[in-house]
Amino acid sequence: MKNKKILYAVIAAANAVSLTGTLILTVTGSSLAKSQSYNNAAERWDSTGSCSQISCFFSDDAGVTVDNIGGAKASMLSALKNISIIPEENQKLIPEAYSTSAGQATVKSDTTNGRSNAELVAVGGDFFLFRDFDLIDGSYFSESDIMQDGAVIDRNLAWALYGSDNVSGKNIYINGTKFYISGVIDIPQNKYEKKTAGELPVAYISYDGANLFSSSSSSISSKAGVGSDSMGDIGGFMPADTGLKKITCYECIMPDPVENYAYNAVDGYFKSYENSYAIVDNSRRFKPSVRAKAFRNLSDYAVISNSVIYPYWENASRIVEFKLTSVYFYRRLTYIIPVLTALYLLVILWKTAGMAKRRLTEWTGDKITRVMYNHNEKQRKKKENLL
């Protein structure tokens, strides 16, 4: 009896430790996943959960451009039409966005000392729908704007230019070309985005805005030097006669009537790019079951097998993916003790049930025997009385 009490105490303690570990890993995993909210664009677009967010990333020389990206959406709409999902009038069934790094440039303000180098990102489509930026001032620009000379800048650039983040509507000059500040966003706050975002402040401009730069004095540079104001100082990034058309990031939100339908539709269109692109199902990437299964391929994160360019928000999510893969795998291991305990209890229950069954059978047999014996005795006595 004493040994059994010790055994039960050990089992109870092991289960308590195991369940505590499960809880800690669950909370840790949930916190990590929530830190990368850019992956939740599909939920922001459609709260019913019937859509998936898919992102594609390309190498610098993949050849994906603004001119041919329209084929992707046409292909996806055709796939949806085949299963009778057709957009209603004026309905945007598949919001999409695309972007690329447009290098570095010198940005000035209307003030004397307002000047800074900045990283430029050219964006198109519903780009800001996919980014969960914290908008501090102003608003986002869009493709429907009559003029495409708006820029969304981060807080660091706003302070460097004007000493304030309440600067929407003010002018800025990117390598001498005039833009206006459409909105100001906060800088990345979580540690993973801080680690991957880089040190330079950032300005987001449209593709048309990027092509406002003239080839003679205001092309964008891939490596702008401090004090560089012109093409002669820094060298060209993309001449205006050809225009900036390259895409290194394409994203869309697509109805997903069955699991992986949206992923397969997008992957099917871009598959011809082979080693020049990578595709991500943002809506499922952080699911515990997906991450736990990826543990066997964890070493893949340490090996770069292609020349795909990832923006900082995706690099941050890849760090989180790596961490979550271990978190959810080890969380599965914490289930072992409770499962073994449950099996042990089932065996005990089975044995107990067997013993109870035997006792019930013996008791029932004994009762029947007694009843039959009493009945026979009564019959015997009746016969004796008659005699």
Side-chain angles (χ1 to χ4, degrees), residues 10 25 27 44 91 96 118 126 130 155 158 175 243-244 268 271 295 301 306 326 337 379 382:
V10 171
L25 291 173
V27 172
R44 295 193 291 271
Q91 178 190 16
E96 60 180 352
D126 297 299
F130 290 82
R155 169 176 271 170
N175 283 358
L244 178 62
K271 218 171 186 64
F295 186 81
Y301 285 85
N306 54 43
S326 297
I337 292 177
Q379 293 296 323
K382 282 184 180 180

Side-chain angles (χ1 to χ4, degrees), residues 75-255:
S75 174
M76 288 180 278
L77 287 171
S78 177
L80 291 174
K81 186 176 181 181
N82 291 337
I83 55 173
S84 301
I85 298 179
I86 302 172
E88 299 177 2
E89 187 176 358
N90 297 323
Q91 178 190 16
K92 182 177 286 188
L93 191 59
I94 305 178
E96 60 180 352
Y98 45 91
S99 58
T100 192
S101 170
Q104 299 172 12
T106 298
V107 184
K108 289 183 176 182
S109 68
D110 286 326
T111 63
T112 304
N113 297 322
R115 176 190 183 112
S116 175
N117 275 7
E119 186 75 30
L120 301 184
V121 180
V123 306
D126 297 299
F127 177 81
F128 296 106
L129 167 66
F130 290 82
R131 306 282 77 75
D132 194 23
F133 292 143
D134 182 8
L135 186 65
I136 299 172
D137 184 46
S139 60
Y140 299 123
F141 60 80
S142 71
E143 287 187 328
S144 62
D145 294 344
I146 295 175
M147 297 293 291
Q148 292 293 304
D149 57 348
V152 172
I153 65 175
D154 70 14
R155 169 176 271 170
N156 286 347
L157 185 55
W159 277 91
L161 298 178
Y162 283 104
S164 170
D165 50 33
N166 186 22
V167 294
S168 61
K170 293 184 180 295
N171 295 325
I172 59 173
Y173 302 86
I174 303 177
N175 283 358
T177 299
K178 184 178 178 181
F179 284 76
Y180 77 95
I181 301 173
S182 173
V184 180
I185 58 174
D186 203 356
I187 59 175
Q189 295 299 310
N190 74 71
K191 64 180 181 180
Y192 306 108
E193 292 180 353
K194 285 181 179 179
K195 183 180 293 186
T196 58
E199 297 181 358
L200 281 179
V202 182
Y204 297 90
I205 57 177
S206 69
Y207 273 79
D208 287 340
N211 291 322
L212 292 175
F213 296 90
S214 68
S215 60
S216 61
S217 62
S218 49
S219 290
I220 306 171
S221 168
S222 59
K223 291 184 179 179
V226 176
S228 301
D229 290 344
S230 68
M231 176 76 165
D233 292 325
I234 59 179
F237 174 82
M238 182 65 70
D241 56 349
T242 59
L244 178 62
K245 297 182 179 181
K246 176 180 62 179
I247 290 173
T248 53
C249 174
Y250 173 80
E251 305 165 276
C252 70
I253 298 171
M254 180 178 174

Side-chain angles (χ1 to χ4, degrees), residues 31-44:
S31 177
L32 283 169
K34 287 179 180 178
S35 72
Q36 299 304 301
S37 56
Y38 110 83
N39 296 281
N40 301 327
E43 294 178 13
R44 295 193 291 271

